[in-house]
Amino acid sequence: MLRKNISLLSKIGVICAVAVLSVSQASQAAGVSDSFTRADGTSLGTTEDAGHYSWVAGPSEGTNTSISNGALLLSGFVAGAPVYSSGVGIGGYQVADFNLTCNVKLAAGEWLGLSYRASDLGTRSGKLLYIEQDNATSKYLGLDGGSFPTYNFDSSVDLTQWHSLELDVKGTSHKVYFDGTLVQDIVDDGFTTGPGYINFLRSTGNNAATASFDNLAITNTAAAPVPEPSSMMLLGMGAVSMVGMAIRRRK
């Protein structure tokens, strides 16, 4: 009889542990990845991760977004669109704290950006990370449209070639790495820390304007919530009650 009771208690313990783990895992948003390995000229469709999130064009983007040479290409002039506002976003995916890595390049004299914790898809809403190349010597990276000091690239850096970009956001902390080097490290207490969309943007004021993104990976870095003591106590009490009932039935 004792052996049977111990066996029952062990099974209940496993069930409770699985339940707690499932709740913890479900609380985290899935990550996103896309290497854009689709045929040239095709629509973006969905991301390549298990979530298959839809790529959604902004209201001004039209058909200026496509796959080119295995990368996301944003290009062309958009009549009537505000400059620096057009692009695409990841539909159905909102996150607050995250780590994003991708490769980027832009046409000479152009601009590209990432907006995050955004309220809308395919627009400049939210916090903004941008890279701009005004001419051969003026090349820089900034956060939030110049509210913070920009990082000036050396004139030898060719932004028309692929470079790695990493954005790490947690709470009010925003860190940007370019080719593995930390180039922006700011604390912004005035901006929302809640979840939002992530958008990929380019300039809309030039017929030749192009911005390219590739090898995208986004990881939700929000800590999994730890069950409260009261929740754990309820689980424990439930397990004990079930064992007690089982023992009474066997007597």
Side-chain angles (χ1 to χ4, degrees):
M1 180 65 69
L2 178 60
R3 187 177 301 160
K4 290 182 180 180
N5 291 336
I6 292 175
S7 175
L8 179 60
L9 180 60
S10 299
K11 291 178 181 178
I12 293 173
V14 170
I15 292 172
C16 292
V18 170
V20 172
L21 180 60
S22 298
V23 171
S24 175
Q25 290 178 336
S27 66
Q28 295 187 6
V32 170
S33 62
D34 205 335
S35 57
F36 305 102
T37 52
R38 276 90 88 188
D40 280 7
T42 60
S43 62
L44 293 182
T46 63
T47 58
E48 295 172 350
D49 54 86
H52 296 297
Y53 298 95
S54 296
W55 286 100
V56 179
S60 302
E61 190 59 23
T63 60
N64 296 285
T65 303
S66 64
I67 300 293
S68 178
N69 296 317
L72 163 61
L73 175 67
L74 305 176
S75 64
F77 173 73
V78 180
V83 178
Y84 310 144
S85 67
S86 187
V88 295
I90 304 172
Y93 183 80
Q94 297 190 59
V95 66
D97 296 342
F98 63 92
N99 178 272
L100 180 153
T101 59
C102 65
N103 295 333
V104 296
K105 69 175 181 178
L106 66 158
E110 295 303 334
W111 177 100
L112 66 77
L114 289 171
S115 69
Y116 54 98
R117 293 179 178 169
S119 57
D120 300 311
L121 284 164
T123 71
R124 190 174 173 167
S125 64
K127 190 76 174 174
L128 179 69
L129 161 64
Y130 64 93
I131 298 175
E132 189 161 2
Q133 180 175 244
D134 288 339
N135 51 55
T137 58
S138 180
K139 311 170 186 179
Y140 46 92
L141 177 153
L143 279 167
D144 206 26
S147 297
F148 298 92
T150 57
Y151 174 83
N152 295 306
F153 294 108
D154 186 84
S155 60
S156 63
V157 175
D158 185 358
L159 294 177
T160 66
Q161 301 300 312
W162 287 109
H163 296 273
S164 66
L165 182 69
E166 178 180 357
L167 172 62
D168 193 76
V169 179
K170 191 168 185 64
T172 59
S173 171
H174 306 255
K175 296 182 179 180
V176 182
Y177 299 82
F178 188 85
D179 285 342
T181 299
L182 179 64
V183 295
Q184 288 279 18
D185 186 358
I186 69 167
V187 174
D188 187 357
D189 294 322
F191 190 73
T192 177
T193 57
Y197 297 111
I198 296 177
N199 296 308
F200 301 80
L201 311 170
R202 47 73 180 210
S203 170
T204 58
N206 189 309
N207 288 329
T210 61
S212 299
F213 302 83
D214 201 3
N215 299 319
L216 171 67
I218 305 172
T219 303
N220 176 21
T221 57
V226 178
E228 299 177 0
S230 58
S231 300
M232 294 301 294
M233 183 180 298
L234 287 173
L235 283 171
M237 291 172 63
V240 171
S241 298
M242 291 175 67
V243 172
M245 291 173 63
I247 292 174
R248 284 197 294 273
R249 287 197 190 101
R250 284 172 168 80
K251 286 184 176 180

